[in-house]
Amino acid sequence: MAKKIQAIRGMNDLLPDSSPRWQYLEEKVRTLLNRYGYSEIRMPIVEQTALFKRSIGEVTDIVEKEMYTFEDRNGDSLTLRPEGTAGCVRAGEEHGLLFNQQQRLWYQGPMFRHERPQKGRYRQFHQIGVETFGITGPDIDAELILLSARLWRELGILDHLTLELNTLGSSEARAAYRSALTDYLKAYQAELDEDSQRRLSTNPLRILDSKDARTQEILQNAPAFEEHLDEESRQHFAGLCQLLDAAGIHYTLNPRLVRGLDYYGKTVFEWTTQALGSQGTVCAGGRYDALVEQLGGKSTPAVGFAMGVERLVLLLETLNAFPAKLEQRLDAYLTAFGEGAASHALLLAERLRSEQPELRIQTHCGGGNFKKQIKKADQSGAQVAILLGEDEMSRGVASIKFLREEKEQVEVAISELALTLKEHLQRL
Ligand code: ATP
Ligand code: MG
Protein backbone atom coordinates (compact mmCIF):
# COMPACT_ATOMS: atom_id res chain seq x y z
CA MET A 1 0.00 0.00 0.00
CA ALA A 2 1.18 3.51 -0.74
CA LYS A 3 2.33 5.57 2.22
CA LYS A 4 -0.41 7.87 3.44
CA ILE A 5 0.09 11.60 3.27
CA GLN A 6 -0.82 13.41 6.45
CA ALA A 7 -1.90 16.94 7.29
CA ILE A 8 0.74 19.50 8.13
CA ARG A 9 1.61 19.73 11.82
CA GLY A 10 -0.43 22.39 13.56
CA MET A 11 -3.02 22.52 10.79
CA ASN A 12 -6.29 20.88 11.72
CA ASP A 13 -9.19 19.35 9.89
CA LEU A 14 -12.60 20.36 11.15
CA LEU A 15 -14.61 17.14 11.18
CA PRO A 16 -18.40 16.79 10.78
CA ASP A 17 -18.72 16.06 14.50
CA SER A 18 -17.35 19.48 15.37
CA SER A 19 -18.56 21.68 12.55
CA PRO A 20 -22.00 22.37 14.13
CA ARG A 21 -20.21 24.02 17.06
CA TRP A 22 -18.21 26.26 14.73
CA GLN A 23 -21.33 27.10 12.76
CA TYR A 24 -23.18 28.00 15.95
CA LEU A 25 -20.41 30.39 17.02
CA GLU A 26 -19.96 31.89 13.55
CA GLU A 27 -23.69 32.46 13.21
CA LYS A 28 -23.86 34.21 16.60
CA VAL A 29 -21.01 36.52 15.64
CA ARG A 30 -22.37 37.25 12.16
CA THR A 31 -25.83 38.11 13.49
CA LEU A 32 -24.39 40.32 16.20
CA LEU A 33 -22.10 42.26 13.85
CA ASN A 34 -25.02 42.77 11.52
CA ARG A 35 -27.07 44.19 14.40
CA TYR A 36 -24.29 46.74 15.04
CA GLY A 37 -24.17 47.75 11.38
CA TYR A 38 -20.83 46.16 10.45
CA SER A 39 -20.21 44.88 6.89
CA GLU A 40 -18.22 41.85 5.87
CA ILE A 41 -15.08 42.14 3.77
CA ARG A 42 -13.13 39.18 2.35
CA MET A 43 -9.46 39.48 1.50
CA PRO A 44 -7.06 37.01 -0.13
CA ILE A 45 -5.17 34.65 2.16
CA VAL A 46 -1.88 35.47 0.44
CA GLU A 47 -0.38 38.96 0.28
CA GLN A 48 2.96 40.47 -0.62
CA THR A 49 5.47 39.87 2.16
CA ALA A 50 6.25 43.60 2.29
CA LEU A 51 2.71 44.33 3.52
CA PHE A 52 3.25 42.42 6.77
CA LYS A 53 6.83 43.57 7.27
CA ARG A 54 5.77 47.18 6.99
CA SER A 55 2.66 46.93 9.16
CA ILE A 56 3.30 44.33 11.88
CA GLY A 57 6.93 45.45 12.19
CA GLU A 58 10.30 43.94 11.24
CA VAL A 59 11.32 43.12 14.81
CA THR A 60 8.13 41.46 16.04
CA ASP A 61 7.87 37.73 16.76
CA ILE A 62 5.43 37.32 13.90
CA VAL A 63 7.68 38.79 11.22
CA GLU A 64 10.96 37.52 12.65
CA LYS A 65 10.04 33.90 13.09
CA GLU A 66 6.41 33.00 12.48
CA MET A 67 5.51 33.85 8.89
CA TYR A 68 4.98 31.36 6.08
CA THR A 69 6.90 33.19 3.37
CA PHE A 70 7.73 31.77 -0.04
CA GLU A 71 8.67 32.77 -3.53
CA ASP A 72 6.01 32.16 -6.14
CA ARG A 73 6.80 31.17 -9.71
CA ASN A 74 7.39 34.77 -10.70
CA GLY A 75 10.00 35.19 -7.99
CA ASP A 76 7.76 37.48 -5.91
CA SER A 77 7.95 37.12 -2.14
CA LEU A 78 4.51 36.18 -0.84
CA THR A 79 3.27 35.39 2.67
CA LEU A 80 0.29 33.46 4.03
CA ARG A 81 -1.44 36.08 6.14
CA PRO A 82 -0.55 35.84 9.85
CA GLU A 83 -3.39 38.23 10.77
CA GLY A 84 -6.11 40.23 9.02
CA THR A 85 -5.62 43.90 9.84
CA ALA A 86 -2.84 44.54 7.33
CA GLY A 87 -4.79 42.98 4.47
CA CYS A 88 -7.94 44.81 5.49
CA VAL A 89 -6.14 48.17 5.40
CA ARG A 90 -4.52 47.25 2.09
CA ALA A 91 -7.90 46.35 0.58
CA GLY A 92 -9.67 49.38 2.03
CA GLU A 93 -6.99 51.69 0.65
CA GLU A 94 -6.88 49.98 -2.73
CA HIS A 95 -10.64 50.34 -3.22
CA GLY A 96 -10.99 53.85 -1.82
CA LEU A 97 -12.99 52.82 1.26
CA LEU A 98 -10.93 54.70 3.81
CA PHE A 99 -10.20 58.30 2.90
CA ASN A 100 -12.65 60.74 4.45
CA GLN A 101 -15.11 57.99 5.35
CA GLN A 102 -16.22 55.97 8.30
CA GLN A 103 -16.13 52.21 7.90
CA ARG A 104 -17.15 49.39 10.18
CA LEU A 105 -15.84 46.14 8.73
CA TRP A 106 -15.39 42.53 9.74
CA TYR A 107 -13.87 39.39 8.24
CA GLN A 108 -13.21 35.82 9.17
CA GLY A 109 -10.90 33.10 8.01
CA PRO A 110 -7.68 31.18 8.44
CA MET A 111 -4.42 32.80 9.55
CA PHE A 112 -0.97 31.18 9.48
CA ARG A 113 1.87 31.38 11.97
CA HIS A 114 4.76 29.00 12.37
CA GLU A 115 4.52 28.61 16.15
CA ARG A 116 5.00 25.58 18.39
CA PRO A 117 1.67 23.75 18.19
CA GLN A 118 -0.08 23.13 21.52
CA LYS A 119 -3.57 23.37 22.93
CA GLY A 120 -5.02 26.69 21.74
CA ARG A 121 -2.01 27.45 19.53
CA TYR A 122 -1.89 26.19 15.96
CA ARG A 123 -0.11 26.96 12.70
CA GLN A 124 -3.33 27.42 10.81
CA PHE A 125 -5.90 29.01 13.08
CA HIS A 126 -8.99 31.10 12.52
CA GLN A 127 -9.81 34.63 13.47
CA ILE A 128 -12.89 36.77 13.29
CA GLY A 129 -11.65 40.32 12.99
CA VAL A 130 -13.45 43.63 13.34
CA GLU A 131 -11.91 46.89 12.08
CA THR A 132 -13.24 50.44 12.09
CA PHE A 133 -11.80 53.41 10.19
CA GLY A 134 -12.24 57.16 10.24
CA ILE A 135 -13.36 57.63 13.85
CA THR A 136 -10.99 59.42 16.22
CA GLY A 137 -12.69 59.48 19.60
CA PRO A 138 -12.94 56.87 22.36
CA ASP A 139 -16.63 56.29 21.55
CA ILE A 140 -15.76 53.79 18.84
CA ASP A 141 -13.20 52.06 21.09
CA ALA A 142 -16.03 51.68 23.61
CA GLU A 143 -18.45 50.41 20.96
CA LEU A 144 -16.02 47.64 19.99
CA ILE A 145 -15.68 46.60 23.61
CA LEU A 146 -19.44 46.72 24.20
CA LEU A 147 -19.95 44.62 21.10
CA SER A 148 -17.51 41.97 22.28
CA ALA A 149 -19.00 42.02 25.80
CA ARG A 150 -22.46 41.47 24.33
CA LEU A 151 -21.15 38.54 22.33
CA TRP A 152 -19.73 36.90 25.47
CA ARG A 153 -22.99 37.54 27.31
CA GLU A 154 -25.04 35.99 24.52
CA LEU A 155 -22.70 33.01 24.40
CA GLY A 156 -23.02 32.64 28.17
CA ILE A 157 -19.29 33.08 28.91
CA LEU A 158 -19.03 36.70 30.09
CA ASP A 159 -18.48 35.67 33.72
CA HIS A 160 -15.39 33.73 32.71
CA LEU A 161 -13.69 36.55 30.84
CA THR A 162 -11.71 39.52 32.08
CA LEU A 163 -11.18 42.67 30.09
CA GLU A 164 -7.64 44.03 30.38
CA LEU A 165 -7.08 47.56 29.23
CA ASN A 166 -4.07 49.79 28.65
CA THR A 167 -2.97 52.79 26.64
CA LEU A 168 0.26 52.84 24.66
CA GLY A 169 0.11 56.60 24.10
CA SER A 170 1.49 58.47 21.11
CA SER A 171 4.52 57.28 19.18
CA GLU A 172 6.58 60.10 20.77
CA ALA A 173 5.53 58.96 24.23
CA ARG A 174 6.42 55.37 23.39
CA ALA A 175 9.82 56.44 22.05
CA ALA A 176 10.59 58.40 25.23
CA TYR A 177 9.48 55.50 27.39
CA ARG A 178 11.38 52.99 25.29
CA SER A 179 14.64 54.78 25.97
CA ALA A 180 13.89 55.20 29.70
CA LEU A 181 13.04 51.52 29.98
CA THR A 182 16.11 50.46 28.02
CA ASP A 183 18.37 52.59 30.24
CA TYR A 184 16.91 50.96 33.33
CA LEU A 185 17.02 47.39 32.01
CA LYS A 186 20.59 47.60 30.71
CA ALA A 187 21.85 47.39 34.29
CA TYR A 188 20.13 43.99 34.59
CA GLN A 189 20.84 42.73 31.08
CA ALA A 190 22.52 39.50 32.13
CA GLU A 191 19.67 38.55 34.45
CA LEU A 192 16.90 38.88 31.90
CA ASP A 193 15.48 35.82 30.14
CA GLU A 194 16.92 35.07 26.72
CA ASP A 195 14.05 36.55 24.68
CA SER A 196 14.10 39.71 26.72
CA GLN A 197 17.86 40.13 26.29
CA ARG A 198 17.36 40.03 22.56
CA ARG A 199 14.41 42.41 22.73
CA LEU A 200 16.37 44.94 24.74
CA SER A 201 17.90 46.22 21.53
CA THR A 202 15.06 45.44 19.13
CA ASN A 203 11.68 45.79 20.85
CA PRO A 204 12.11 46.61 24.58
CA LEU A 205 8.40 47.26 25.25
CA ARG A 206 7.72 43.58 24.59
CA ILE A 207 9.85 42.76 27.64
CA LEU A 208 6.98 44.06 29.77
CA ASP A 209 4.87 41.00 29.03
CA SER A 210 7.66 38.47 29.54
CA LYS A 211 6.42 35.45 31.49
CA ASP A 212 9.81 34.95 33.17
CA ALA A 213 9.70 35.36 36.97
CA ARG A 214 13.10 37.04 37.37
CA THR A 215 12.40 39.42 34.49
CA GLN A 216 9.08 40.34 36.08
CA GLU A 217 10.85 40.93 39.40
CA ILE A 218 13.30 43.29 37.72
CA LEU A 219 10.41 45.08 36.06
CA GLN A 220 8.84 45.85 39.44
CA ASN A 221 11.05 48.91 39.84
CA ALA A 222 11.20 49.88 36.18
CA PRO A 223 10.05 53.37 35.20
CA ALA A 224 6.30 53.50 34.57
CA PHE A 225 4.85 54.42 31.22
CA GLU A 226 2.38 56.67 33.00
CA GLU A 227 5.15 59.29 33.46
CA HIS A 228 5.65 59.55 29.70
CA LEU A 229 2.04 59.39 28.58
CA ASP A 230 1.04 62.36 26.41
CA GLU A 231 -1.95 64.51 27.30
CA GLU A 232 -4.06 63.63 24.27
CA SER A 233 -3.73 59.89 24.87
CA ARG A 234 -4.41 60.41 28.57
CA GLN A 235 -7.69 62.12 27.75
CA HIS A 236 -8.63 59.56 25.14
CA PHE A 237 -8.07 56.79 27.66
CA ALA A 238 -9.98 58.60 30.42
CA GLY A 239 -12.85 59.07 27.95
CA LEU A 240 -12.90 55.37 27.14
CA CYS A 241 -12.88 54.38 30.82
CA GLN A 242 -15.79 56.75 31.49
CA LEU A 243 -17.84 55.27 28.66
CA LEU A 244 -17.16 51.74 29.90
CA ASP A 245 -18.05 52.74 33.46
CA ALA A 246 -21.32 54.25 32.25
CA ALA A 247 -22.12 51.01 30.41
CA GLY A 248 -21.30 48.90 33.47
CA ILE A 249 -18.41 47.06 31.80
CA HIS A 250 -15.80 45.79 34.27
CA TYR A 251 -12.15 46.05 33.32
CA THR A 252 -8.70 45.70 34.80
CA LEU A 253 -6.04 48.29 34.04
CA ASN A 254 -2.90 46.45 33.01
CA PRO A 255 0.09 48.76 32.39
CA ARG A 256 2.08 45.72 31.23
CA LEU A 257 -0.24 45.01 28.31
CA VAL A 258 1.71 45.90 25.17
CA ARG A 259 0.56 43.49 22.40
CA GLY A 260 2.89 41.88 19.90
CA LEU A 261 2.30 44.06 16.87
CA ASP A 262 4.05 47.36 16.24
CA TYR A 263 1.12 49.26 14.78
CA TYR A 264 -0.80 49.79 18.01
CA GLY A 265 -0.97 53.16 19.80
CA LYS A 266 -3.32 54.57 22.43
CA THR A 267 -5.96 51.96 23.40
CA VAL A 268 -5.04 48.28 23.62
CA PHE A 269 -7.20 45.58 25.19
CA GLU A 270 -7.46 41.83 25.65
CA TRP A 271 -10.22 39.53 26.84
CA THR A 272 -8.61 36.72 28.81
CA THR A 273 -9.82 33.63 30.64
CA GLN A 274 -8.38 31.42 33.37
CA ALA A 275 -10.15 28.38 31.92
CA LEU A 276 -7.73 27.61 29.07
CA GLY A 277 -4.34 27.51 30.77
CA SER A 278 -1.60 29.62 29.24
CA GLN A 279 -3.41 30.22 25.94
CA GLY A 280 -5.95 32.38 27.77
CA THR A 281 -6.33 35.35 25.41
CA VAL A 282 -9.43 34.81 23.29
CA CYS A 283 -9.75 38.28 21.82
CA ALA A 284 -7.32 41.16 21.45
CA GLY A 285 -7.12 44.50 19.74
CA GLY A 286 -6.49 48.18 19.90
CA ARG A 287 -6.08 51.47 18.11
CA TYR A 288 -3.72 51.84 15.15
CA ASP A 289 -4.07 55.42 13.93
CA ALA A 290 -0.70 55.42 12.17
CA LEU A 291 -1.07 52.26 10.10
CA VAL A 292 -3.01 53.53 7.09
CA GLU A 293 -0.45 56.26 6.48
CA GLN A 294 2.39 53.82 7.09
CA LEU A 295 0.96 51.72 4.24
CA GLY A 296 0.83 54.66 1.87
CA GLY A 297 -2.67 56.07 2.50
CA LYS A 298 -3.80 59.36 3.99
CA SER A 299 -3.74 59.53 7.77
CA THR A 300 -6.86 57.67 8.99
CA PRO A 301 -7.75 56.82 12.58
CA ALA A 302 -8.53 53.14 13.09
CA VAL A 303 -9.29 50.67 15.84
CA GLY A 304 -10.14 46.98 15.78
CA PHE A 305 -9.78 43.58 17.36
CA ALA A 306 -9.57 39.91 16.46
CA MET A 307 -10.85 36.86 18.26
CA GLY A 308 -9.36 33.40 18.04
CA VAL A 309 -12.06 30.98 16.95
CA GLU A 310 -10.29 27.79 18.13
CA ARG A 311 -9.81 29.26 21.59
CA LEU A 312 -13.43 30.38 21.78
CA VAL A 313 -14.65 26.95 20.73
CA LEU A 314 -12.37 25.38 23.36
CA LEU A 315 -13.67 27.78 25.98
CA LEU A 316 -17.31 27.10 25.14
CA GLU A 317 -16.58 23.35 25.30
CA THR A 318 -14.72 23.66 28.59
CA LEU A 319 -17.55 25.65 30.13
CA ASN A 320 -20.25 23.44 28.63
CA ALA A 321 -21.72 26.55 27.06
CA PHE A 322 -22.76 25.07 23.73
CA PRO A 323 -26.49 24.33 23.48
CA ALA A 324 -27.17 20.64 24.04
CA LYS A 325 -28.78 19.91 20.69
CA LEU A 326 -26.65 21.44 17.98
CA GLU A 327 -26.33 18.85 15.28
CA GLN A 328 -29.35 18.97 13.06
CA ARG A 329 -31.08 15.62 12.90
CA LEU A 330 -32.47 14.25 9.68
CA ASP A 331 -36.25 14.38 9.50
CA ALA A 332 -36.77 11.59 7.01
CA TYR A 333 -34.79 8.84 5.30
CA LEU A 334 -36.33 7.77 2.04
CA THR A 335 -36.06 4.12 1.07
CA ALA A 336 -37.35 2.49 -2.12
CA PHE A 337 -37.57 -1.07 -3.44
CA GLY A 338 -38.29 -2.83 -6.69
CA GLU A 339 -38.50 -1.80 -10.34
CA GLY A 340 -37.45 1.84 -10.94
CA ALA A 341 -36.92 2.40 -7.22
CA ALA A 342 -33.90 4.69 -7.44
CA SER A 343 -35.54 7.05 -9.88
CA HIS A 344 -38.81 7.14 -7.92
CA ALA A 345 -36.97 7.82 -4.68
CA LEU A 346 -34.90 10.68 -6.09
CA LEU A 347 -37.93 12.30 -7.71
CA LEU A 348 -40.11 11.91 -4.63
CA ALA A 349 -37.42 13.42 -2.41
CA GLU A 350 -37.11 16.38 -4.78
CA ARG A 351 -40.88 16.86 -4.66
CA LEU A 352 -40.90 16.78 -0.84
CA ARG A 353 -38.08 19.34 -0.69
CA SER A 354 -39.98 21.64 -3.06
CA GLU A 355 -43.19 21.37 -1.07
CA GLN A 356 -41.67 21.71 2.39
CA PRO A 357 -38.24 23.34 2.08
CA GLU A 358 -37.47 23.13 5.79
CA LEU A 359 -37.61 19.31 5.89
CA ARG A 360 -34.23 17.62 6.11
CA ILE A 361 -34.44 14.53 3.91
CA GLN A 362 -31.84 12.01 2.82
CA THR A 363 -32.46 9.56 -0.01
CA HIS A 364 -31.08 6.04 0.25
CA CYS A 365 -28.53 5.50 -2.52
CA GLY A 366 -26.81 2.30 -3.51
CA GLY A 367 -29.75 -0.14 -3.60
CA GLY A 368 -30.03 -3.16 -1.33
CA ASN A 369 -32.86 -5.12 0.21
CA PHE A 370 -35.50 -3.89 2.66
CA LYS A 371 -33.56 -4.96 5.75
CA LYS A 372 -30.37 -3.21 4.65
CA GLN A 373 -32.18 0.02 3.80
CA ILE A 374 -34.09 0.12 7.10
CA LYS A 375 -30.84 -0.42 8.96
CA LYS A 376 -29.33 2.56 7.13
CA ALA A 377 -32.42 4.61 7.93
CA ASP A 378 -32.02 3.81 11.59
CA GLN A 379 -28.30 4.62 11.60
CA SER A 380 -28.97 7.93 9.89
CA GLY A 381 -30.66 9.23 13.02
CA ALA A 382 -33.74 10.26 11.04
CA GLN A 383 -37.06 10.55 12.83
CA VAL A 384 -38.93 8.54 10.24
CA ALA A 385 -38.29 6.31 7.26
CA ILE A 386 -40.38 6.72 4.15
CA LEU A 387 -41.01 3.37 2.48
CA LEU A 388 -41.68 3.24 -1.21
CA GLY A 389 -42.31 -0.27 -2.60
CA GLU A 390 -43.61 -1.31 -6.03
CA ASP A 391 -47.12 -1.71 -4.64
CA GLU A 392 -47.06 1.75 -3.03
CA MET A 393 -45.74 3.34 -6.21
CA SER A 394 -48.50 1.86 -8.30
CA ARG A 395 -51.16 3.15 -5.89
CA GLY A 396 -49.62 6.64 -5.51
CA VAL A 397 -48.92 6.25 -1.78
CA ALA A 398 -45.94 5.87 0.56
CA SER A 399 -45.61 4.56 4.12
CA ILE A 400 -44.17 6.43 7.05
CA LYS A 401 -42.34 4.23 9.52
CA PHE A 402 -41.64 5.86 12.87
CA LEU A 403 -38.09 5.09 13.91
CA ARG A 404 -37.99 6.78 17.32
CA GLU A 405 -41.47 6.18 18.74
CA GLU A 406 -43.78 3.26 19.40
CA LYS A 407 -46.30 4.10 16.74
CA GLU A 408 -48.01 2.17 13.96
CA GLN A 409 -46.70 2.66 10.46
CA VAL A 410 -49.08 4.84 8.36
CA GLU A 411 -49.82 4.98 4.67
CA VAL A 412 -50.21 8.43 3.11
CA ALA A 413 -51.04 9.63 -0.40
CA ILE A 414 -47.95 11.06 -2.11
CA SER A 415 -49.78 14.36 -2.56
CA GLU A 416 -50.25 14.60 1.24
CA LEU A 417 -46.86 13.26 2.24
CA ALA A 418 -44.87 16.48 2.64
CA LEU A 419 -47.54 18.13 4.76
CA THR A 420 -48.07 15.03 6.89
CA LEU A 421 -44.34 14.79 7.55
CA LYS A 422 -44.18 18.42 8.52
CA GLU A 423 -47.14 18.13 10.89
CA HIS A 424 -45.77 15.02 12.48
CA LEU A 425 -42.32 16.53 13.00
CA GLN A 426 -43.77 19.72 14.46
CA ARG A 427 -45.44 17.69 17.19
CA LEU A 428 -42.10 16.26 18.32
P1 ATP B 1 -0.74 35.12 21.93
O1 ATP B 1 -0.27 36.10 22.94
O2 ATP B 1 -1.64 34.07 22.49
O3 ATP B 1 0.37 34.56 21.09
P2 ATP B 1 -1.18 37.13 19.95
O4 ATP B 1 -0.97 38.38 20.70
O5 ATP B 1 -0.09 36.62 19.10
O6 ATP B 1 -1.67 35.97 20.93
P3 ATP B 1 -3.06 38.31 18.09
O7 ATP B 1 -2.09 38.43 17.00
O8 ATP B 1 -3.49 39.52 18.79
O9 ATP B 1 -2.52 37.23 19.14
O10 ATP B 1 -4.34 37.51 17.57
C1 ATP B 1 -5.64 37.67 18.16
C2 ATP B 1 -6.16 36.36 18.71
O11 ATP B 1 -5.98 35.30 17.79
C3 ATP B 1 -5.46 35.88 19.96
O12 ATP B 1 -5.97 36.51 21.08
C4 ATP B 1 -5.78 34.41 19.95
O13 ATP B 1 -7.09 34.18 20.46
C5 ATP B 1 -5.76 34.08 18.49
N1 ATP B 1 -4.47 33.48 18.11
C6 ATP B 1 -3.28 34.10 17.87
N2 ATP B 1 -2.34 33.22 17.52
C7 ATP B 1 -2.94 32.00 17.53
C8 ATP B 1 -2.49 30.66 17.24
N3 ATP B 1 -1.24 30.40 16.85
N4 ATP B 1 -3.38 29.64 17.36
C9 ATP B 1 -4.65 29.87 17.74
N5 ATP B 1 -5.13 31.10 18.01
C10 ATP B 1 -4.29 32.15 17.92
MG1 MG C 1 1.46 35.20 19.40
Side-chain angles (χ1 to χ4, degrees):
M1 256 201 300
K3 190 168 182 285
K4 286 184 183 151
I5 297 173
Q6 294 195 316
I8 296 164
R9 194 164 117 83
M11 303 203 180
N12 301 313
D13 300 302
L14 179 65
L15 300 180
D17 256 5
S18 310
S19 57
R21 293 198 288 282
W22 280 59
Q23 287 171 356
Y24 165 79
L25 176 61
E26 287 163 357
E27 186 52 35
K28 281 267 184 202
V29 179
R30 188 176 324 146
T31 309
L32 184 84
L33 285 163
N34 195 34
R35 287 161 66 198
Y36 277 77
Y38 285 65
S39 310
E40 186 181 3
I41 180 168
R42 300 189 188 193
M43 298 85 65
I45 284 168
V46 187
E47 299 270 1
Q48 294 191 38
T49 303
L51 175 69
F52 302 115
K53 287 196 172 168
R54 237 210 268 176
S55 55
I56 298 168
E58 296 267 6
V59 292
T60 55
D61 282 357
I62 294 180
V63 172
E64 275 188 333
K65 42 187 197 194
E66 296 175 359
M67 293 205 305
Y68 280 88
T69 297
F70 61 97
E71 247 183 39
D72 80 351
R73 289 171 191 276
N74 307 327
D76 298 328
S77 179
L78 306 183
T79 294
L80 300 186
R81 61 182 186 192
E83 55 101 57
T85 306
C88 186
V89 170
R90 199 266 314 134
E93 198 43 40
E94 196 165 324
H95 301 284
L97 305 181
L98 304 186
F99 181 58
N100 248 344
Q101 297 164 69
Q102 294 192 349
Q103 292 288 354
R104 287 172 164 87
L105 305 175
W106 71 276
Y107 51 81
Q108 67 174 336
M111 307 293 162
F112 303 84
R113 297 185 194 175
H114 197 275
E115 305 194 68
R116 191 169 69 77
Q118 53 195 293
K119 185 182 166 200
R121 193 176 292 287
Y122 311 100
R123 290 181 173 173
Q124 174 176 321
F125 63 99
H126 296 75
Q127 285 185 341
I128 300 174
V130 182
E131 316 285 357
T132 72
F133 297 96
I135 310 167
T136 317
D139 47 357
I140 189 68
D141 306 30
E143 176 177 291
L144 287 174
I145 290 173
L146 289 175
L147 179 162
S148 50
R150 181 180 292 276
L151 178 64
W152 314 141
R153 200 178 307 118
E154 292 186 0
L155 290 169
I157 57 176
L158 181 61
D159 290 347
H160 300 268
L161 289 170
T162 308
L163 173 62
E164 296 189 27
L165 208 57
N166 192 21
T167 178
L168 298 179
S170 66
S171 63
E172 294 77 22
R174 279 196 303 288
Y177 180 56
R178 198 175 294 132
S179 80
L181 184 66
T182 311
D183 287 347
Y184 168 81
L185 288 174
K186 268 186 183 148
Y188 301 93
Q189 188 156 10
E191 293 172 67
L192 298 173
D193 61 278
E194 209 180 301
D195 270 348
S196 298
Q197 289 191 15
R198 192 169 47 84
R199 284 175 176 150
L200 196 52
S201 55
T202 57
N203 200 352
L205 293 190
R206 276 307 299 248
I207 298 175
L208 293 177
D209 69 6
S210 162
K211 304 274 189 298
D212 183 76
R214 178 62 191 139
T215 301
Q216 278 303 328
E217 206 180 332
I218 294 168
L219 284 168
Q220 297 269 312
N221 296 317
F225 182 58
E226 176 71 25
E227 294 153 28
H228 298 271
L229 186 61
D230 56 294
E231 190 49 33
E232 194 197 326
S233 300
R234 190 187 304 278
Q235 280 182 19
H236 185 99
F237 196 59
L240 172 60
C241 291
Q242 262 171 26
L243 290 167
L244 295 179
D245 291 338
I249 301 283
H250 299 291
Y251 52 86
T252 310
L253 298 179
N254 177 1
R256 296 276 158 83
L257 182 66
V258 289
R259 313 278 305 108
L261 303 88
D262 274 1
Y263 51 62
Y264 287 114
K266 289 189 175 160
T267 313
V268 286
F269 65 93
E270 288 190 357
W271 287 97
T272 60
T273 177
Q274 300 295 322
L276 292 182
S278 54
Q279 267 57 254
T281 306
V282 298
C283 172
R287 190 164 267 283
Y288 51 94
D289 292 345
L291 182 60
V292 177
E293 203 174 2
Q294 211 170 303
L295 290 176
K298 292 246 168 47
S299 172
T300 305
V303 52
F305 68 79
M307 42 197 152
V309 180
E310 281 82 358
R311 289 188 196 174
L312 278 171
V313 169
L314 271 172
L315 181 60
L316 288 160
E317 283 169 355
T318 307
L319 300 174
N320 255 324
F322 280 114
K325 268 185 67 182
L326 268 185
E327 55 305 3
Q328 245 197 308
R329 291 257 294 256
L330 277 182
D331 294 318
Y333 190 93
L334 208 162
T335 62
F337 323 91
E339 190 66 23
S343 164
H344 278 101
L346 287 170
L347 295 183
L348 176 56
E350 286 303 310
R351 174 173 176 175
L352 296 173
R353 293 182 188 115
S354 297
E355 289 178 8
Q356 295 294 340
E358 67 273 32
L359 287 180
R360 198 157 183 252
I361 303 169
Q362 201 167 80
T363 310
H364 178 83
C365 288
N369 61 24
F370 179 77
K371 205 171 145 210
K372 176 181 161 189
Q373 293 197 29
I374 287 297
K375 195 168 162 205
K376 286 268 190 239
D378 196 40
Q379 287 168 347
S380 77
Q383 293 294 329
V384 303
I386 298 167
L387 316 179
L388 199 58
E390 271 178 53
D391 166 55
E392 277 106 344
M393 284 178 231
S394 67
R395 288 189 293 120
V397 298
S399 298
I400 302 177
K401 180 176 167 62
F402 298 94
L403 299 171
R404 317 287 157 205
E405 306 152 89
E406 296 292 325
K407 217 165 146 182
E408 279 292 299
Q409 184 170 316
V410 293
E411 193 176 281
V412 185
I414 295 288
S415 55
E416 302 290 317
L417 184 56
L419 198 60
T420 310
L421 282 173
K422 186 183 157 193
E423 283 169 0
H424 169 72
L425 294 163
Q426 266 170 356
R427 275 197 300 275
L428 286 179

